[in-house]
């Protein structure tokens, strides 16, 4: 078995880190080009296409999850908490719940002003909102996995470990850009994306972030935008011949 003198160990570590950084740079460069071309060529698309592509990307990430966990994330500092899931859940709830209530309150006020209490009930008390939230959580978990587990880890490997702020901001910006051409959603996620990324960097737990994402997304579309996501998803499914 070959052995290495203590004097050579720093050099070996540097070589390994450089190799990983080069692989990550090439990988992210290719993905950035493909994502940019896709957004440019298909600015308006059926939302089910995004779900299908995200599902394919998730399969690719799961296939390389061991490498991501044992090489990319293993080289980074561990979670800054003794109870990461509990602390992550607490933080996300304190951030999420007040904003959800504000979104629905605004939606209720707008609906009442436009058409009275029947419009309020239709807009923010529809039982299908709960169904949408549950389905949205699965979609949000896919997105959080793509951006937090995969992209953030690689950006942290690419940039100096002492400056995680750049990786966090770029991940949040990427999260925002994929929501184009919906300007309002892109602007909202430009705020939420870096916050979710920072929380993941600190606690390394995806599920609380997915729940927060689903709750805020559902409240934003129903409350602020007045979109009936259940009907919109049904229409999108009909366009693809799912029903």
């Amino acid at each position: 078995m070959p052995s290495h003198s203590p004097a050579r160990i720093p050099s070996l570590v540097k070589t390994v880190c450089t190799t990983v950084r080069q692989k990550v740079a090439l990988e992210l460069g290719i993905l950035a080009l493909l994502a940019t071309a896709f957004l440019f060529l298909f600015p308006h698309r059926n939302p089910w296409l995004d779900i299908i592509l995200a599902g394919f990307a998730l399969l690719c990430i799961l296939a390389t999850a061991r490498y991501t966990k044992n090489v990319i994330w293993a080289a980074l500092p561990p979670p800054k908490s003794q109870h990461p899931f509990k602390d992550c859940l607490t933080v996300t709830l304190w951030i999420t719940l007040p904003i959800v209530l504000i979104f629905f309150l605004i939606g209720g006020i707008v609906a009442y002003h436009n058409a009275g209490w029947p419009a309020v009930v239709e807009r923010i008390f529809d039982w299908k909102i709960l169904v949408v939230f549950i389905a949205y959580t699965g979609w949000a978990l896919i997105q959080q996995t793509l951006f937090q587990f995969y992209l953030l880890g690689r950006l942290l490997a690419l940039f100096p470990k002492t400056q995680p702020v750049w990786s966090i901001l770029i991940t949040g910006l990427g999260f925002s850009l994929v929501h184009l051409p919906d300007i309002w959603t892109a602007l909202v996620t430009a705020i939420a994306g870096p916050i979710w990324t920072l929380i993941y960097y600190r606690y390394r737990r995806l599920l609380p972030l997915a729940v927060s994402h689903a709750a805020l997304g559902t409240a934003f579309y129903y409350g602020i935008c007045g979109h009936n996501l259940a009907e919109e998803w049904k229409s999108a499914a009909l366009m693809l011949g799912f029903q």
Side-chain angles (χ1 to χ4, degrees):
M1 181 179 296
S3 60
H4 304 287
S5 63
R8 293 185 60 192
I9 291 178
S11 177
L12 290 172
V13 172
K14 183 178 179 180
T15 301
V16 171
C17 291
T18 301
T19 302
V20 172
R21 186 174 288 111
Q22 290 174 343
K23 290 181 178 178
V24 166
L26 178 61
E27 185 178 346
L28 293 181
I30 293 173
L31 288 176
L33 288 175
L34 292 175
T36 301
F38 175 77
L39 291 173
F40 179 78
L41 294 173
F42 304 99
H44 303 284
R45 55 196 178 272
N46 191 300
W48 284 100
L49 179 59
D50 286 344
I51 295 176
I52 292 171
L53 291 175
F56 174 75
L58 182 63
L59 290 177
C60 295
I61 290 174
L62 292 177
T64 60
R66 180 174 297 181
Y67 174 82
T68 302
K69 181 179 180 180
N70 296 335
V71 176
I72 301 296
W73 282 103
L76 299 170
K80 299 179 180 181
S81 172
Q82 295 182 347
H83 307 284
F85 184 85
K86 178 182 177 181
D87 292 342
C88 182
L89 183 62
T90 301
V91 170
T92 52
L93 285 177
W94 275 105
I95 294 174
T96 303
L97 289 179
I99 300 176
V100 166
L101 292 175
I102 290 172
F103 282 175
F104 277 125
L105 178 61
I106 293 173
I109 292 173
V110 171
Y112 181 79
H113 180 266
N114 290 337
W117 286 111
V120 175
V121 173
E122 182 180 358
R123 184 161 179 163
I124 66 173
F125 290 107
D126 185 349
W127 65 270
K128 293 180 182 178
I129 292 178
L130 179 59
V131 178
V132 167
F133 165 70
I134 294 172
Y136 206 144
T137 300
W139 172 231
L141 184 59
I142 293 176
Q143 293 185 64
Q144 296 295 339
T145 302
L146 296 177
F147 281 91
Q148 315 306 339
F149 178 69
Y150 175 81
L151 180 59
L152 176 61
R154 278 158 174 76
L155 288 175
L156 288 169
L158 188 62
F159 290 95
K161 294 181 176 62
T162 56
Q163 299 178 0
V165 62
W166 296 111
S167 301
I168 292 170
L169 290 176
I170 293 173
T171 302
L173 176 62
F175 195 92
S176 171
L177 291 178
V178 298
H179 289 85
L180 291 173
D182 187 337
I183 297 297
W184 290 111
T185 303
L187 289 175
V188 171
T189 51
I191 300 172
I195 294 174
W196 286 325
T197 305
L198 176 61
I199 294 174
Y200 184 78
Y201 175 75
R202 185 175 181 85
Y203 300 110
R204 313 288 165 79
R205 294 297 182 269
L206 288 170
L207 185 58
L209 298 181
V211 173
S212 171
H213 183 171
L216 289 171
T218 302
F220 174 74
Y221 284 116
Y222 274 92
I224 300 297
C225 301
H227 290 183
N228 188 326
L229 290 183
E231 294 300 322
E232 292 180 7
W233 291 354
K234 183 178 179 180
S235 298
L238 288 172
M239 289 179 62
L240 287 182
F242 286 173
Q243 291 184 357

